[in-house]
Amino acid sequence: MDREKVALTGAPETMLATLYARALDSHAPRSILHDEAAARAVERIEYDFRRTGITATTAAGVALRGRQLDTWTREFMAAHPEATVLHLACGLDTRAQRLGVPPGVRWIDLDHPDVIALRERLLPPPPGDYHLVRGSVTDEGWLDSVPADRPTVAVLEGLTMYLREEDGRRLIERITGRFPSGQLLFDCYGTIGIRLQKLVPAVRNAGATLHWGIDDPRELEAWHERLVLLDSLRSVDMPGLDLLPTAGRIQMRVLALLPKLRDVGRILRYQF
């Protein structure tokens, strides 16, 4: 088997941590995502995954976050059989492969050209109306190429914290202003998480920098007249925490009791 040499730095390198987390979870006795495609991709990559600092606990946390976003995406596609799915900064995430692309759904995975090229070599595309788009989420051009003819759900996993707030706001304004209706699904850090970023091995070892923290998710509702917060799940309150290893369950219970730390991370769902 030919192995892919990966020479990424900064924020793009951190996608290898989430890939490795999903691969580790797939081997766990009580796997959450059962992401065998991630495990196969890891086997084909020549990279020292010890740099990610991913443990059994953090792997389960990444899997729980992915499962929640999967659930919301699946619900949206069920409610809108002719939806568009925008999976932004998709990296090597196998969401399209996990959920499938139902007949009538248009699915778009977007990331930087070198990431998409790696993705094409590692992940077989799912059947259906599936497209890979090369570009940065902060570029203006790519969104204009997406037809604005359907309800649209935009999934931004592991992205917002790497954006500057002005870039995040511009992206959200552009999406909510372009499509007739839809939802935004994403995870975020609070400002305490941004301040503690050097404690995250995947961020520290990749030389990445986190910029944007969200403490009050309702503040974003003012960014567009149609934007409404539907769900705000703290990381310490995510469904399925009982599936974490014992050490992880204890850690989450302790964090939930600390006012300054229980808002370190959230998963958000907005409609527009």
Side-chain angles (χ1 to χ4, degrees):
M1 178 188 300
D2 294 333
R3 303 188 73 197
E4 293 284 345
K5 292 184 178 181
V6 177
L8 299 171
T9 59
E13 185 178 355
T14 63
M15 73 178 182
L16 298 175
T18 52
L19 176 71
Y20 185 54
R22 295 193 308 274
L24 278 185
D25 168 71
S26 73
H27 298 304
R30 295 194 297 168
S31 177
I32 296 162
L33 278 184
H34 306 281
D35 196 342
E36 286 81 12
R40 290 192 293 270
V42 164
E43 290 175 355
R44 292 191 52 201
I45 294 174
E46 187 174 322
Y47 177 81
D48 183 3
F49 285 98
R50 292 173 297 182
R51 283 173 54 83
T52 67
I54 294 294
T55 65
T57 292
T58 52
V62 167
L64 286 175
R65 179 185 73 184
R67 187 176 73 171
Q68 185 61 56
L69 293 171
D70 281 0
T71 296
W72 286 342
T73 304
R74 188 183 293 111
E75 289 176 358
F76 189 89
M77 292 191 296
H80 305 281
E82 294 187 346
T84 293
V85 178
L86 295 178
H87 189 197
L88 306 184
C90 61
L92 295 174
D93 197 298
T94 62
R95 177 160 287 113
Q97 288 80 1
R98 292 196 302 270
L99 300 184
V101 181
V105 169
R106 175 196 297 131
W107 189 298
I108 295 171
D109 275 351
L110 176 138
D111 214 316
H112 292 281
D114 54 342
V115 174
I116 293 296
L118 179 62
R119 184 182 181 91
E120 288 179 316
R121 295 194 298 271
L122 290 173
L123 298 175
D129 188 3
Y130 174 77
H131 308 270
L132 287 169
V133 176
R134 292 162 170 79
S136 168
V137 295
T138 58
D139 292 342
E140 295 287 330
W142 68 267
L143 189 57
D144 295 335
S145 69
V146 180
D149 58 346
R150 306 179 183 185
T152 298
V153 58
V155 188
L156 300 73
E157 183 175 2
L159 170 63
T160 62
M161 58 287 296
Y162 293 100
L163 299 176
R164 296 190 181 276
E165 181 175 349
E166 58 268 27
D167 291 326
R169 176 167 183 162
R170 176 61 181 153
L171 176 63
I172 289 173
E173 289 174 338
R174 289 168 61 212
I175 292 173
T176 53
R178 177 167 179 78
F179 300 101
S181 63
Q183 292 183 359
L184 300 172
L185 316 177
F186 59 91
D187 58 311
C188 69
Y189 277 169
T191 53
I192 184 65
I194 301 299
R195 289 199 294 268
L196 296 176
Q197 63 182 280
K198 294 303 181 184
L199 299 180
V200 182
V203 173
R204 181 178 67 248
N205 294 338
T209 302
L210 308 182
H211 300 284
W212 180 24
I214 300 172
D215 289 325
D216 182 2
R218 290 208 174 272
E219 289 184 355
L220 276 63
E221 292 179 316
W223 292 2
H224 195 279
E225 59 185 6
R226 292 191 292 145
L227 200 60
V228 177
L229 179 67
L230 295 180
D231 293 284
S232 175
L233 296 177
R234 291 187 177 96
S235 298
V236 296
D237 298 325
M238 273 194 302
L241 290 178
D242 57 304
L243 296 173
L244 292 176
T246 302
R249 294 198 300 273
I250 295 172
Q251 179 183 358
M252 286 299 182
R253 291 192 194 109
V254 171
L255 290 177
L257 296 174
L258 301 175
K260 290 188 176 181
L261 293 179
R262 64 187 175 203
D263 294 331
V264 68
R266 299 175 189 262
I267 306 177
L268 306 176
R269 173 162 62 165
Y270 294 85
Q271 73 175 10
F272 59 89

